[in-house]
Amino acid sequence: MNKFENGFMLGASTAAHQVEGNNTNSDYWLMENMEYSQFVEPSLDAVDHYNRYEEDIKMLADAGLNTYRFSVEWARIEPEQGKFDEKEIEHYRKMIKCCRDNGVEPVITLMHFTSPVWLIKLGGWDNEQVVELFANYAGYVAKQLGSEIKYICTINEANMRLQIGALMERFKKQMMAKMANAAKSGGDSMEGQVQVGLNLSDPMEKMKLAAMENAKVFGDPQPHTFVSATDANGDMIVIKAHQAAKEAIKAVNPDIQVGITLSLHDCQYIEGGKERADSDWNEEFSHYVPYIKDDDFFGLQNYTRTTYGPDGIVPVPEGTPMTQMDYEVYPEALEHVIRRVHEEMPNVPIMVTENGIATADDKQRVEFIDKAIEGVQSCINDGIPVIGYCHWSLIDNFEWQKGYALTFGLCAVDRKTQIRAPKPSLKHLGGYLK
């Protein structure tokens, strides 16, 4: 095992809504608990990280890891527009102190998919007003916590809205083709084409009923949550929100290192597929470069590859190992994506803020980690400034619309008792530090 040099940030990631539990002021909480919800189950207590963070952070540190990336929840901190909850900001201050007490570097994310309900009722992430509102929230967090943290990710997977937009277009075309008997029934699942737990199995009738319920709850049959499809205009709103938040943070403490995270596939191609592969890479990454090239670091998130041919995405060959998320097991993708990002942003340090595998086989997870880390170390040996690697995820958690069935964690949890059971992969990952 080749170990990282001292100073390398090696750890694991979580997101508030996926682990804390009872995030009752968020858009997701309402959507999960609707009668016609697209979620297979609600988050409820999740894995009770809100009350058990000390145990979880100590577990991370005891395994030899030195970094914990987690999100602070906007819906908790600002449950009503302009009204901040001091009790909740104090909660996150205690989490940061717990990290410090255990020799762990906290990396916080300000927005990891979930938003306050009041924001969505105002038009959510397709309303230009969100730029100012998010900056105001970011400034508040920086004022309250900025003397205690070095790294802030503003927005998690800022390109997710475009990815979902493209996915839903393909979904609509597939549905139309089925209705016209222009394609065989069934076909390849598309849920594995995006790096977030989506449920595309609901019948059209249920989706219509859900839209009616959304209209009652949010005032819009298609609420503009962060994980909803958007176009180039909505994408630009997200970019502006990142830039405004960065400015607000720097105004409070210019020494805080600020970056954004993007969900990136290793876009490969066979004969006839280069143009489409390059186009999708541009949509996923390249078009953001002018807006993020001056950031302090870049949060890179990768799980797999996508291969393109003359007719678009090429199906994975039969018999290929697949994850529970229905995409290919391909840890080599991380190295390829790091190198490609560095080519386009050579002066920006890279932090791998997510990389992992949904599997019930922890031996497979260990093998995935070894191959991914080998790629990271190869990049570092070639002079690429990779400053950290945070595995997704510290603990098995709520995988959005897919519920609790998918297991990404380095630690299992019995949700009836909330008892933690660290997997061998946790200690194995920690072994890469000197």
Side-chain angles (χ1 to χ4, degrees), residues 104-120:
V104 171
E105 184 67 47
V107 177
I108 71 167
T109 302
L110 296 180
M111 208 290 298
H112 196 127
F113 292 165
T114 45
S115 303
V117 171
W118 60 262
L119 181 77
I120 307 306

Side-chain angles (χ1 to χ4, degrees), residues 7 9 78 88 133 157 181 255 265 331 348 365 394 420:
M9 299 168 67
E78 192 179 2
E88 296 296 350
L133 294 169
E157 296 187 337
N181 291 319
D255 293 330
H265 294 79
V348 181
R365 180 172 291 103
L394 174 61
R420 274 64 172 143

Side-chain angles (χ1 to χ4, degrees), residues 173-188:
K173 288 177 182 177
Q174 187 184 78
M175 293 301 294
M176 292 298 288
K178 284 182 182 179
M179 290 164 63
N181 291 319
K184 294 178 182 178
S185 64
D188 296 314

